[in-house]
Amino acid sequence: MTALLELKDVRAAYGRIEVLHGADLVVPESSVVALLGPNGAGKTTTLKVASGQLVPTSGCVHLAGRHVNGASPDALARLGVCTIPEGRGIFPNLTVRENLRMVTYAGADLEQVEERAYRTFPRLGERRTQVAGTLSGGEQQMLAMARGLAVDPTLLFLDELSMGLAPLIVGELYEIVGEIARNGVSILVVEQFARTVLGVADYAAI
């Protein structure tokens, strides 16, 4: 098992309040790891540490064997890390196609971005001219994932993918998550509801 991401004895705090108390976590290559737990357990904080949004107070963060403590989110993004935060994070006043075009300012080709997005999420192709804020919650999550995949990540972080969505849509999204992992992307997904993610997860941490 080759670890793409490894957290070793990580501690993290907001001010004087310590949230992570020596966390250990491994995300192997081309796998889906589910990080489970109730609200307030530190799941999102773990993602923030792993993605460079929060510097740990102690411990080590390794990406593909490289020590990356203190690396900025944009530096980690250039190494292949992509985060899709809770709440989806799309541009609601832009169309689906315009949302995808935003990714091209980092150098991606729009035609390739659209081809991949509509192949993975055919529903987005049907709604390419629709304003993103008028999409259903599931379609907005698809758009957020399509934008993340457009940068060809090696490591994808998903925070509460199922939040506010109907079970049928959640099942569809997690089928796509499994397909993304089979294509070589390692995925760490934070989830409060275990049943929704364990069907596709290779490993789970609590």
Side-chain angles (χ1 to χ4, degrees):
M1 182 178 67
T2 303
L4 184 60
L5 173 71
E6 187 170 11
L7 274 61
K8 293 183 175 181
D9 196 25
V10 166
R11 294 179 178 269
Y14 299 105
R16 296 183 178 180
I17 302 174
E18 186 174 81
V19 178
L20 298 183
H21 315 287
D24 296 302
L25 180 68
V26 172
V27 179
E29 289 183 340
S30 302
S31 65
V32 179
V33 176
L35 183 57
L36 308 173
N39 282 336
K43 304 185 303 298
T44 295
T45 300
T46 303
L47 281 194
K48 286 183 176 180
V49 169
S51 60
Q53 298 175 66
L54 182 65
V55 178
T57 54
S58 66
C60 296
V61 181
H62 291 162
L63 183 64
R66 178 178 177 179
H67 187 76
V68 292
N69 281 50
S72 64
D74 60 300
L76 292 178
R78 286 192 290 271
L79 294 174
V81 176
C82 177
T83 303
I84 298 176
E86 179 185 329
R88 297 166 198 133
I90 60 169
F91 295 99
N93 296 325
L94 301 180
T95 66
V96 168
R97 191 168 193 265
E98 289 167 342
N99 266 272
L100 294 173
R101 183 182 290 128
M102 296 300 289
V103 183
T104 67
Y105 294 111
D109 178 74
L110 179 59
E111 186 175 338
Q112 292 180 355
V113 168
E114 285 194 284
E115 190 278 329
R116 182 174 186 176
Y118 303 152
R119 173 169 37 87
T120 307
F121 305 99
R123 205 171 306 171
L124 294 181
E126 299 168 3
R127 290 159 171 72
R128 67 187 72 189
T129 60
Q130 186 171 331
V131 174
T134 66
L135 298 172
S136 69
E139 290 163 350
Q140 289 183 27
Q141 190 65 276
M142 291 176 189
L143 179 56
M145 291 174 66
R147 287 179 49 199
L149 292 174
V151 299
D152 287 324
T154 55
L155 180 60
L156 183 64
F157 296 142
L158 300 172
D159 194 0
E160 298 285 3
L161 184 66
S162 66
M163 180 168 287
L165 301 181
L168 190 63
I169 298 297
V170 172
E172 182 180 341
L173 288 173
Y174 273 116
E175 285 182 11
I176 295 170
V177 167
E179 180 181 335
I180 292 168
R182 287 190 291 273
N183 289 329
V185 180
S186 298
I187 300 173
L188 175 60
V189 55
V190 159
E191 185 57 74
Q192 186 176 353
F193 303 105
R195 187 176 298 176
T196 60
V197 66
L198 290 179
V200 297
D202 300 292
Y203 306 94
I206 299 175

